[in-house]
Amino acid sequence: MDALPDSRAAGLWPEDSVARVPYWVYQDEANYKRELERLFEGATWNFVCLEAEIPDKGDWRTNHVGALPVIVVRDADGAINCFENRCAHRGALIALDEAGTVESNFKCIYHAWSYDLCGNLRGIAFERGINGVGGMPRDFSREAFAPRKLRTTTLCGLVFATLSPDTPPIEEFIGADVLGRIRRVLDRPIRVMGRFTQALPNNWKLYVENVKDTYHASLLHLFFGTFRITRLTQGGGVLVSPDGGSHSSYTIDKADDARSTAYRDQGIRTEKQDYKLADPRLLDTVDEFKDGIRLQILSVFPAFILQQIHNCLAVRQVVPRGIDAMDLKWTYFGFADDPPEMTARRLRQQNLVGPAGFVSMEDGCVGGFVQRGIAAAGDQVSAIEMGGRTTESQATRATEASVRGFWKAYRRHMGY
């Protein structure tokens, strides 16, 4: 690992406060490599796929844990295995596509070495050579060069993996309050409706902060503010796990919010009184979880997001691609028992989010605005004090408690 500059390697953090974040953490190559090792390959659970995406024996998907390419596959016993997508021979990818099905083994396209559904090296082409000449030494250890295997766990149809033997059980890792909000949404078998990948021009942490930033939503997103999908004047709050790493924010509509003039009184641009929907069915919503929560955004440290915006449901995964680039992988889903009218409703509302969505297209830009804005400010800090300087859950969304929670967990894992 590259050495950090002295002041950073010493673990110094400005004011020793989670309400201060130095901008060099979004810019420093050595810090980025440290994140891959300590966060993504460290004692954390990383989302790798949905159980519904690999329902049968031999079904597999490829993904990344940080920079580490992995294969996730269901074996003959129904168990889900995850192992490094790297051939033991010369390091080529074992699986090249995003998904598929194999009978009982994977075969590397380069030299035809093969692996079983647990990631064990099972076959070496011409291992004993030809007519007794050539081939591999008899003392070659298949185990010594095999792809690394990750521990896997499942939770409400989500599949997580970790390289570390020290990662605690997933329920403990997430914390009871946030875990309850996962179970609230993922309460029955799901059906995948579609997926895509969005390339963003910013450090991966800027997007994770955005997800946890309940303060920005109705101030940045005109669609949220104008059509009263989520506004700070409505009910709701934010739950933060004890270690800070996971969170769930939620919005509950209030009838008297329709009369609120708070946004226009402050001249906030996201309330446009003359904007109307050409097709009001876009916001035709059913309270399917029977609790009045119309929007819930949830994260699990370091890079998993579960989304409910009205009846639009999705999981998102943040994949770092360097200090100033990342991929955001979206998977939309509904439930296996959805009636046709609910499927049609979800499809309409999927226009709200994604690269060109009415809501989240701004999130795809604003991270790049920050990355460009801090270009010469590596020795400066951000001030994250909305709602105080601590990380406790709060009964308001006019707070940055969950952003501070992220930095609390980040510093602990990174040793800062």
Short mmCIF file of all heavy atoms in Angstrom, two decimals, residues 60-64 69-73 83-87 91-102 105-110 113 115:
data_model
loop_
_atom_site.label_atom_id
_atom_site.label_comp_id
_atom_site.label_asym_id
_atom_site.label_seq_id
_atom_site.Cartn_x
_atom_site.Cartn_y
_atom_site.Cartn_z
N TRP A 60 -25.62 -17.89 -11.99
CA TRP A 60 -24.53 -17.06 -11.45
C TRP A 60 -24.64 -15.63 -11.96
O TRP A 60 -25.28 -15.36 -12.98
CB TRP A 60 -23.15 -17.63 -11.82
CG TRP A 60 -22.92 -17.81 -13.30
CD1 TRP A 60 -23.20 -18.92 -14.04
CD2 TRP A 60 -22.39 -16.83 -14.22
NE1 TRP A 60 -22.86 -18.70 -15.37
CE2 TRP A 60 -22.37 -17.42 -15.51
CE3 TRP A 60 -21.93 -15.53 -14.08
CZ2 TRP A 60 -21.90 -16.76 -16.65
CZ3 TRP A 60 -21.47 -14.85 -15.21
CH2 TRP A 60 -21.46 -15.47 -16.47
N ARG A 61 -24.00 -14.74 -11.21
CA ARG A 61 -23.83 -13.36 -11.63
C ARG A 61 -22.40 -12.93 -11.29
O ARG A 61 -21.78 -13.45 -10.35
CB ARG A 61 -24.80 -12.41 -10.91
CG ARG A 61 -26.24 -12.58 -11.37
CD ARG A 61 -27.10 -11.39 -10.94
NE ARG A 61 -26.66 -10.14 -11.55
CZ ARG A 61 -26.97 -9.76 -12.79
NH1 ARG A 61 -27.71 -10.53 -13.55
NH2 ARG A 61 -26.54 -8.61 -13.26
N THR A 62 -21.88 -11.99 -12.05
CA THR A 62 -20.59 -11.38 -11.69
C THR A 62 -20.85 -10.01 -11.08
O THR A 62 -21.87 -9.37 -11.33
CB THR A 62 -19.69 -11.23 -12.93
OG1 THR A 62 -20.40 -10.48 -13.93
CG2 THR A 62 -19.29 -12.58 -13.48
N ASN A 63 -19.90 -9.59 -10.24
CA ASN A 63 -20.04 -8.29 -9.59
C ASN A 63 -18.65 -7.88 -9.10
O ASN A 63 -17.64 -8.52 -9.43
CB ASN A 63 -21.04 -8.38 -8.43
CG ASN A 63 -21.66 -7.03 -8.11
OD1 ASN A 63 -21.06 -5.98 -8.34
ND2 ASN A 63 -22.87 -7.04 -7.59
N HIS A 64 -18.61 -6.82 -8.30
CA HIS A 64 -17.36 -6.38 -7.70
C HIS A 64 -17.56 -6.12 -6.21
O HIS A 64 -18.61 -5.63 -5.80
CB HIS A 64 -16.86 -5.08 -8.35
CG HIS A 64 -16.27 -5.29 -9.71
ND1 HIS A 64 -17.05 -5.36 -10.85
CD2 HIS A 64 -14.97 -5.45 -10.12
CE1 HIS A 64 -16.27 -5.57 -11.89
NE2 HIS A 64 -15.00 -5.62 -11.49
N PRO A 69 -13.11 -8.37 -8.58
CA PRO A 69 -14.18 -9.01 -9.36
C PRO A 69 -14.57 -10.35 -8.72
O PRO A 69 -13.70 -11.11 -8.30
CB PRO A 69 -13.54 -9.21 -10.74
CG PRO A 69 -12.07 -9.31 -10.46
CD PRO A 69 -11.80 -8.45 -9.25
N VAL A 70 -15.88 -10.59 -8.64
CA VAL A 70 -16.34 -11.83 -7.99
C VAL A 70 -17.41 -12.50 -8.84
O VAL A 70 -18.07 -11.87 -9.67
CB VAL A 70 -16.90 -11.56 -6.57
CG1 VAL A 70 -15.82 -11.00 -5.66
CG2 VAL A 70 -18.11 -10.62 -6.62
N ILE A 71 -17.55 -13.80 -8.59
CA ILE A 71 -18.65 -14.60 -9.14
C ILE A 71 -19.53 -15.02 -7.98
O ILE A 71 -19.02 -15.48 -6.94
CB ILE A 71 -18.12 -15.85 -9.87
CG1 ILE A 71 -17.25 -15.46 -11.06
CG2 ILE A 71 -19.27 -16.75 -10.32
CD1 ILE A 71 -16.51 -16.65 -11.69
N VAL A 72 -20.84 -14.86 -8.12
CA VAL A 72 -21.80 -15.34 -7.12
C VAL A 72 -22.62 -16.42 -7.79
O VAL A 72 -23.18 -16.20 -8.86
CB VAL A 72 -22.73 -14.20 -6.63
CG1 VAL A 72 -23.46 -14.63 -5.37
CG2 VAL A 72 -21.96 -12.92 -6.42
N VAL A 73 -22.69 -17.60 -7.17
CA VAL A 73 -23.32 -18.74 -7.84
C VAL A 73 -24.06 -19.59 -6.83
O VAL A 73 -23.63 -19.72 -5.68
CB VAL A 73 -22.27 -19.57 -8.61
CG1 VAL A 73 -21.19 -20.09 -7.67
CG2 VAL A 73 -22.92 -20.72 -9.39
N PHE A 83 -16.79 -16.24 -5.01
CA PHE A 83 -15.34 -16.36 -5.08
C PHE A 83 -14.79 -15.40 -6.12
O PHE A 83 -15.52 -14.89 -6.99
CB PHE A 83 -14.91 -17.80 -5.37
CG PHE A 83 -15.51 -18.43 -6.59
CD1 PHE A 83 -14.87 -18.34 -7.82
CD2 PHE A 83 -16.72 -19.11 -6.51
CE1 PHE A 83 -15.42 -18.93 -8.95
CE2 PHE A 83 -17.28 -19.70 -7.65
CZ PHE A 83 -16.63 -19.62 -8.87
N GLU A 84 -13.51 -15.17 -5.99
CA GLU A 84 -12.83 -14.21 -6.86
C GLU A 84 -12.93 -14.65 -8.31
O GLU A 84 -12.71 -15.82 -8.63
CB GLU A 84 -11.36 -14.10 -6.44
CG GLU A 84 -10.59 -13.00 -7.10
CD GLU A 84 -9.18 -12.87 -6.51
OE1 GLU A 84 -8.76 -13.79 -5.79
OE2 GLU A 84 -8.52 -11.85 -6.78
N ASN A 85 -13.25 -13.72 -9.18
CA ASN A 85 -13.36 -14.00 -10.61
C ASN A 85 -11.98 -13.85 -11.25
O ASN A 85 -11.72 -12.93 -12.01
CB ASN A 85 -14.37 -13.04 -11.24
CG ASN A 85 -14.69 -13.37 -12.69
OD1 ASN A 85 -14.25 -14.40 -13.21
ND2 ASN A 85 -15.47 -12.50 -13.33
N ARG A 86 -11.10 -14.78 -10.90
CA ARG A 86 -9.70 -14.71 -11.36
C ARG A 86 -9.16 -16.12 -11.49
O ARG A 86 -9.14 -16.88 -10.53
CB ARG A 86 -8.86 -13.93 -10.35
CG ARG A 86 -7.35 -13.91 -10.68
CD ARG A 86 -6.56 -13.24 -9.57
NE ARG A 86 -6.73 -13.86 -8.26
CZ ARG A 86 -6.06 -14.93 -7.86
NH1 ARG A 86 -5.20 -15.52 -8.65
NH2 ARG A 86 -6.27 -15.43 -6.63
N CYS A 87 -8.73 -16.48 -12.67
CA CYS A 87 -8.19 -17.82 -12.88
C CYS A 87 -6.87 -17.99 -12.12
O CYS A 87 -6.02 -17.10 -12.09
CB CYS A 87 -7.98 -18.07 -14.37
SG CYS A 87 -7.37 -19.73 -14.74
N GLY A 91 -4.50 -15.43 -14.23
CA GLY A 91 -5.23 -14.27 -13.69
C GLY A 91 -6.36 -13.75 -14.55
O GLY A 91 -6.94 -12.71 -14.22
N ALA A 92 -6.70 -14.44 -15.63
CA ALA A 92 -7.81 -13.97 -16.47
C ALA A 92 -9.14 -14.09 -15.74
O ALA A 92 -9.29 -14.92 -14.82
CB ALA A 92 -7.86 -14.77 -17.77
N LEU A 93 -10.11 -13.27 -16.15
CA LEU A 93 -11.46 -13.45 -15.63
C LEU A 93 -11.96 -14.85 -15.97
O LEU A 93 -11.79 -15.32 -17.10
CB LEU A 93 -12.40 -12.41 -16.24
CG LEU A 93 -12.17 -10.94 -15.84
CD1 LEU A 93 -13.04 -10.04 -16.71
CD2 LEU A 93 -12.47 -10.71 -14.37
N ILE A 94 -12.58 -15.49 -15.00
CA ILE A 94 -13.15 -16.82 -15.26
C ILE A 94 -14.49 -16.68 -15.99
O ILE A 94 -14.76 -17.40 -16.94
CB ILE A 94 -13.35 -17.57 -13.92
CG1 ILE A 94 -11.99 -17.76 -13.22
CG2 ILE A 94 -14.06 -18.90 -14.15
CD1 ILE A 94 -12.12 -18.24 -11.79
N ALA A 95 -15.32 -15.76 -15.53
CA ALA A 95 -16.62 -15.49 -16.17
C ALA A 95 -16.56 -14.10 -16.78
O ALA A 95 -16.15 -13.14 -16.11
CB ALA A 95 -17.74 -15.59 -15.15
N LEU A 96 -16.98 -13.99 -18.03
CA LEU A 96 -16.86 -12.73 -18.75
C LEU A 96 -18.17 -11.93 -18.79
O LEU A 96 -18.13 -10.72 -18.92
CB LEU A 96 -16.40 -12.99 -20.19
CG LEU A 96 -15.07 -13.73 -20.34
CD1 LEU A 96 -14.75 -13.94 -21.81
CD2 LEU A 96 -13.94 -12.97 -19.66
N ASP A 97 -19.29 -12.61 -18.69
CA ASP A 97 -20.58 -11.94 -18.81
C ASP A 97 -21.10 -11.49 -17.44
O ASP A 97 -20.52 -11.81 -16.40
CB ASP A 97 -21.59 -12.87 -19.48
CG ASP A 97 -21.18 -13.21 -20.91
OD1 ASP A 97 -20.58 -12.34 -21.56
OD2 ASP A 97 -21.45 -14.34 -21.33
N GLU A 98 -22.25 -10.78 -17.47
CA GLU A 98 -22.85 -10.33 -16.21
C GLU A 98 -23.60 -11.44 -15.50
O GLU A 98 -23.73 -11.42 -14.26
CB GLU A 98 -23.80 -9.15 -16.47
CG GLU A 98 -23.09 -7.87 -16.89
CD GLU A 98 -24.05 -6.71 -16.99
OE1 GLU A 98 -25.28 -6.94 -16.89
OE2 GLU A 98 -23.58 -5.58 -17.16
N ALA A 99 -24.10 -12.40 -16.25
CA ALA A 99 -24.91 -13.46 -15.65
C ALA A 99 -24.99 -14.64 -16.60
O ALA A 99 -24.71 -14.53 -17.80
CB ALA A 99 -26.31 -12.94 -15.34
N GLY A 100 -25.37 -15.80 -16.05
CA GLY A 100 -25.55 -16.98 -16.87
C GLY A 100 -25.87 -18.18 -16.02
O GLY A 100 -26.15 -18.06 -14.81
N THR A 101 -25.80 -19.36 -16.63
CA THR A 101 -26.04 -20.62 -15.92
C THR A 101 -25.02 -21.64 -16.41
O THR A 101 -24.77 -21.72 -17.62
CB THR A 101 -27.47 -21.14 -16.20
OG1 THR A 101 -28.42 -20.15 -15.76
CG2 THR A 101 -27.73 -22.43 -15.44
N VAL A 102 -24.43 -22.38 -15.49
CA VAL A 102 -23.51 -23.46 -15.85
C VAL A 102 -24.04 -24.76 -15.26
O VAL A 102 -24.78 -24.75 -14.27
CB VAL A 102 -22.08 -23.18 -15.35
CG1 VAL A 102 -21.48 -21.97 -16.05
CG2 VAL A 102 -22.05 -23.00 -13.84
N ASN A 105 -19.57 -26.51 -13.71
CA ASN A 105 -18.26 -25.87 -13.57
C ASN A 105 -18.13 -24.68 -14.51
O ASN A 105 -18.83 -24.55 -15.51
CB ASN A 105 -17.12 -26.87 -13.81
CG ASN A 105 -17.10 -27.37 -15.23
OD1 ASN A 105 -16.65 -26.65 -16.14
ND2 ASN A 105 -17.58 -28.59 -15.47
N PHE A 106 -17.21 -23.81 -14.13
CA PHE A 106 -16.79 -22.68 -14.97
C PHE A 106 -15.49 -23.05 -15.66
O PHE A 106 -14.65 -23.74 -15.07
CB PHE A 106 -16.55 -21.43 -14.12
CG PHE A 106 -17.78 -20.90 -13.42
CD1 PHE A 106 -18.15 -21.39 -12.17
CD2 PHE A 106 -18.55 -19.90 -14.01
CE1 PHE A 106 -19.27 -20.90 -11.52
CE2 PHE A 106 -19.67 -19.40 -13.37
CZ PHE A 106 -20.03 -19.90 -12.11
N LYS A 107 -15.29 -22.57 -16.87
CA LYS A 107 -14.05 -22.86 -17.57
C LYS A 107 -13.45 -21.58 -18.11
O LYS A 107 -14.10 -20.84 -18.86
CB LYS A 107 -14.30 -23.86 -18.71
CG LYS A 107 -13.03 -24.36 -19.39
CD LYS A 107 -13.30 -25.58 -20.26
CE LYS A 107 -13.59 -26.80 -19.38
NZ LYS A 107 -13.70 -28.04 -20.18
N CYS A 108 -12.21 -21.30 -17.73
CA CYS A 108 -11.53 -20.10 -18.18
C CYS A 108 -11.30 -20.18 -19.69
O CYS A 108 -10.83 -21.21 -20.21
CB CYS A 108 -10.20 -19.94 -17.44
SG CYS A 108 -9.22 -18.53 -18.02
N ILE A 109 -11.60 -19.09 -20.39
CA ILE A 109 -11.49 -19.10 -21.85
C ILE A 109 -10.04 -19.14 -22.32
O ILE A 109 -9.73 -19.59 -23.43
CB ILE A 109 -12.21 -17.86 -22.44
CG1 ILE A 109 -12.42 -18.02 -23.95
CG2 ILE A 109 -11.44 -16.57 -22.11
CD1 ILE A 109 -13.30 -16.95 -24.54
N TYR A 110 -9.09 -18.73 -21.44
CA TYR A 110 -7.70 -18.58 -21.87
C TYR A 110 -7.02 -19.94 -22.07
O TYR A 110 -6.53 -20.26 -23.16
CB TYR A 110 -6.96 -17.75 -20.80
CG TYR A 110 -5.67 -17.08 -21.25
CD1 TYR A 110 -4.99 -16.24 -20.37
CD2 TYR A 110 -5.13 -17.28 -22.51
CE1 TYR A 110 -3.81 -15.61 -20.74
CE2 TYR A 110 -3.95 -16.67 -22.90
CZ TYR A 110 -3.29 -15.83 -22.01
OH TYR A 110 -2.12 -15.22 -22.37
N TRP A 113 -8.78 -23.93 -17.86
CA TRP A 113 -8.78 -24.43 -16.49
C TRP A 113 -10.21 -24.28 -15.97
O TRP A 113 -10.90 -23.29 -16.26
CB TRP A 113 -7.81 -23.64 -15.60
CG TRP A 113 -6.35 -23.97 -15.88
CD1 TRP A 113 -5.80 -24.35 -17.06
CD2 TRP A 113 -5.29 -23.91 -14.93
NE1 TRP A 113 -4.45 -24.54 -16.93
CE2 TRP A 113 -4.10 -24.27 -15.62
CE3 TRP A 113 -5.19 -23.58 -13.58
CZ2 TRP A 113 -2.85 -24.32 -14.99
CZ3 TRP A 113 -3.95 -23.63 -12.95
CH2 TRP A 113 -2.79 -24.00 -13.65
N TYR A 115 -13.38 -24.72 -12.80
CA TYR A 115 -13.68 -24.51 -11.37
C TYR A 115 -15.09 -25.01 -11.09
O TYR A 115 -16.01 -24.81 -11.91
CB TYR A 115 -13.57 -23.02 -11.03
CG TYR A 115 -12.20 -22.46 -11.32
CD1 TYR A 115 -11.86 -22.04 -12.61
CD2 TYR A 115 -11.23 -22.41 -10.33
CE1 TYR A 115 -10.59 -21.57 -12.90
CE2 TYR A 115 -9.95 -21.95 -10.61
CZ TYR A 115 -9.64 -21.53 -11.90
OH TYR A 115 -8.37 -21.08 -12.18
#
